[in-house]
């Protein structure tokens, strides 16, 4: 019989015949936000027995488990319209960079570098992060500081451009986003 004495502690009471053993299984859930390097410690010790103990050197054991945080960050992009018609309007091209955390842990300190190669006639209208900051502001090459990204969460960086009427037919706008810190 296992009886809890506090939320984390308890007492296991049992009868044990000579040469036999019993097992108490403790199942825990480590939350995705648990700190990297945190230690989960469990100590079991014999606290009472009706008979006289003859070897007390093995009557207590402690098991420590270290928590590791691991994340799978995924970067994707979309743009609209594609292809874009040069000179069709101000702000006629929008690119969206999405960073997602597939887990299994929450991510912290997330940063992405953004590198845009713009052909002549293409200008930045705005660069807007859904969270965090983008520096230098409205510069095609910069750093998006996302910060914390929970398991299963996504954030976006929206880049609005104007493809001017003088932009060459077939010109390519290149955009590379890379996770640089987590």
């Amino acid at each position: 019989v296992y009886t809890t004495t506090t939320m984390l502690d308890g007492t296991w009471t049992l009868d044990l015949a000579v040469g036999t053993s019993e097992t108490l299984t403790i199942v825990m859930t480590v939350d995705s936000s648990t700190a990297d390097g945190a230690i989960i410690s469990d100590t079991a010790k014999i606290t009472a027995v009706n008979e006289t103990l003859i070897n007390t050197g093995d009557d207590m054991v402690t098991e420590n488990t270290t928590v590791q945080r691991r994340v799978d960050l995924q970067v994707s992009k979309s743009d609209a319209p594609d292809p874009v018609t040069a000179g069709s309007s101000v702000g006629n091209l929008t690119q969206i960079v999405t960073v997602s955390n597939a887990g299994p842990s929450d991510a912290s300190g997330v940063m992405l570098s953004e590198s845009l190669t713009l052909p002549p006639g293409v200008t930045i209208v705005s660069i807007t992060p859904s969270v965090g900051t983008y520096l230098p502001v409205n510069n095609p090459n910069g750093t998006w500081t996302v910060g914390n990204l929970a398991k299963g969460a996504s954030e976006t960086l929206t880049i609005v451009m104007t493809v001017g009427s003088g932009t060459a037919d077939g010109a390519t706008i290149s955009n590379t986003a890379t996770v640089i810190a987590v």
Side-chain angles (χ1 to χ4, degrees), residues 22-109:
E22 294 292 337
T23 303
L24 176 65
T25 301
I26 301 169
V27 178
M28 295 175 249
T29 299
V30 180
D31 189 75
S32 62
S33 64
T34 302
D36 190 45
I39 305 292
I40 301 166
S41 183
D42 180 41
T43 300
K45 63 182 175 181
I46 296 174
T47 57
V49 63
N50 293 333
E51 293 72 31
T52 303
L53 291 171
I54 56 173
N55 178 7
T56 59
D58 58 358
D59 291 353
M60 184 173 88
V61 65
T62 299
E63 180 66 34
N64 293 319
T65 303
T66 304
V67 174
Q68 294 181 331
R69 287 172 61 121
R70 300 292 183 259
V71 296
D72 179 10
L73 297 182
Q74 300 167 348
V75 180
S76 61
K77 292 186 177 224
S78 63
D79 64 347
D82 189 0
V84 61
T85 301
S88 57
S89 68
V90 173
N92 56 357
L93 176 61
T94 300
Q95 291 188 342
I96 298 175
V97 178
T98 302
V99 61
S100 303
N101 181 1
S105 303
D106 292 348
S108 61

Side-chain angles (χ1 to χ4, degrees), residues 103-170:
S105 303
D106 292 348
S108 61
V110 177
M111 295 175 72
L112 283 82
S113 71
E114 180 68 24
S115 178
L116 282 155
T117 302
L118 305 178
V122 178
T123 58
I124 300 291
V125 174
S126 64
I127 300 176
T128 308
S130 60
V131 296
T133 58
Y134 184 84
L135 294 173
V137 177
N138 292 338
N139 189 314
N141 300 316
T143 301
W144 177 24
T145 302
V146 176
N148 296 335
L149 191 59
K151 170 186 165 186
S154 296
E155 296 297 344
T156 58
L157 181 69
T158 302
I159 304 163
V160 178
M161 294 171 262
T162 297
V163 179
S165 59
T167 305
D169 188 37

